[in-house]
Amino acid sequence: MTTASLSERSGGASAAPDENLLRLVAGALLMLSRLRTVPNPVYPANVQNAYNRLVLHCLRVGVEPPGSVPDMARWAAERPLGRWPLALPEELRTGDTRLVDPETRLPHQLCLEWEVSAADPAAELFENDRILEALAVCRAANAPHAYTAFRKLLTTKPVLTGVELALLGGDPACGMLLQQVIKRCYEPAPASYLREGAYSQCERCGCLMVPLLRGGHRCELDRCRRDGRASGPGKALRAERGGVFQLSRPLRMFITSPGLAETELESALLAKFGIRAEMWPNYDAYDLRVALPGGRHWAVDVKDWANPVLLARTLTPFRTEPPYERAFLVVPRYRLQENEAYGRQFLRNLPEDLVERVTLLDDRTFLRRVADELPGTKHTRDGGRHA
């Protein structure tokens, strides 16, 4: 699916008055999911504040409020956003969209998207802190290859044993330079993920799978759940001496998940067209730099967001070094299959200064665009080529 035409843009949707409340609730749910123990008797201030604000709002609009913080969490798992007493634009509340997975009782990716789309940059906290720290270290050492190796590690190794984490210091690519940053990216895997002394690791993305109350496991990444390959038993990983560690959840959602889409696009460009894309050039100016005939280059950022409205609102201009002729925002095809209005909703909410500077495409359509630029090729329906 290609980007919606400019004529479909309606000038941008104004923020609904209740969006800030939803953002507070999303942040509270994420904080609750990160707690190692059940708070007793006092919840963290952010959680209590979000609950109090939700109760007051419900009383003002004449709706029975949740009776407690756990009841607020149950609302998030059992009520689609369309049934919350909030004045939200229709495109933010359609379908069976929930903040918490009713089976795993963990926040959906959408919940994190609401948190990081806050106007306050501090809401992006964890994942940006770690990435910016790695960037600063690599720039100071004039080591762009170390940063590239760091990003590949977070993409391909969301789970490490204690021994593997300790041995990163011997990795010449990035371990010696970024060892302390890397260790802060990982956290001990929760014991609640154990079944019969073992964790289950998703065969597709490598993340730990979440045990379900009714039996079985489920991968928490949208990209794995959507194709039905993430509900099997997975690969058993024993909790041996030294423990098991996983990336923090924001890094799994916003680095590992799109990182897999980035490396898949990199592989497809090489396999189909013999194009070796430059990954995260100039310390992550954008995700891929694609060389085309005539000395031209395209810049690509890959995003795997559930909500196109929140994605559009958070988008910033691509950096201009290294230079490029065109800029593309590429999303996995399954997102547009789930929401046929994804492109139109994105464009309606894109800042005016970016409308003509970035083009939204799904990954298959982008590959077809690349094929169209190559002499002597014609593309197939899946974006491949024939001589």
Side-chain angles (χ1 to χ4, degrees), residues 34-46:
R34 294 165 187 153
L35 294 176
R36 293 285 176 178
T37 58
V38 177
N40 185 27
V42 180
Y43 286 95
N46 288 356

Side-chain angles (χ1 to χ4, degrees), residues 96-276:
D96 191 36
T97 305
R98 305 178 193 212
L99 294 177
V100 171
D101 187 313
E103 292 194 83
T104 66
R105 294 288 163 165
L106 289 173
H108 275 305
Q109 177 177 324
L110 179 66
C111 198
L112 282 97
E113 291 178 9
W114 270 104
E115 184 185 43
V116 303
S117 67
D120 179 4
E124 298 190 25
L125 289 179
F126 189 90
E127 70 279 4
N128 272 357
D129 281 352
R130 297 296 177 260
I131 298 303
L132 291 174
E133 186 179 3
L135 281 168
V137 170
C138 292
R139 281 194 175 113
N142 193 25
H145 295 300
Y147 180 76
T148 299
F150 169 74
R151 287 296 295 267
K152 283 188 178 291
L153 174 70
L154 300 193
T155 296
T156 60
K157 298 287 186 180
V159 174
L160 294 172
T161 65
V163 173
E164 290 172 330
L165 190 58
L167 290 177
L168 284 175
D171 181 353
C174 67
M176 293 296 290
L177 186 61
L178 295 170
Q179 184 179 29
Q180 295 308 311
V181 180
I182 291 169
K183 286 184 176 180
R184 286 192 285 273
C185 290
Y186 289 82
E187 58 191 21
S192 59
Y193 281 32
L194 280 169
R195 281 273 174 88
E196 299 178 357
Y199 296 99
S200 184
Q201 195 171 7
C202 178
E203 297 276 8
R204 180 176 184 179
C205 70
C207 292
L208 294 181
M209 301 180 77
V210 184
L212 303 177
L213 294 176
R214 57 179 173 78
H217 293 78
R218 173 181 287 179
C219 182
E220 63 182 349
L221 295 191
D222 286 358
R223 69 190 308 276
C224 296
R225 288 205 309 267
R226 294 303 192 268
D227 68 5
R229 287 192 281 167
S231 56
K235 173 186 174 184
L237 181 64
R238 291 285 165 185
E240 298 176 350
R241 186 176 179 180
V244 173
F245 296 80
Q246 64 177 348
L247 289 174
S248 70
R249 194 151 190 265
L251 288 172
R252 299 196 302 273
M253 294 292 107
F254 296 120
I255 300 297
T256 302
S257 182
L260 291 168
E262 291 159 10
T263 54
E264 287 172 1
L265 189 59
E266 175 194 26
S267 298
L269 288 166
L270 183 61
K272 295 176 182 296
F273 313 122
I275 295 175
R276 193 176 298 277

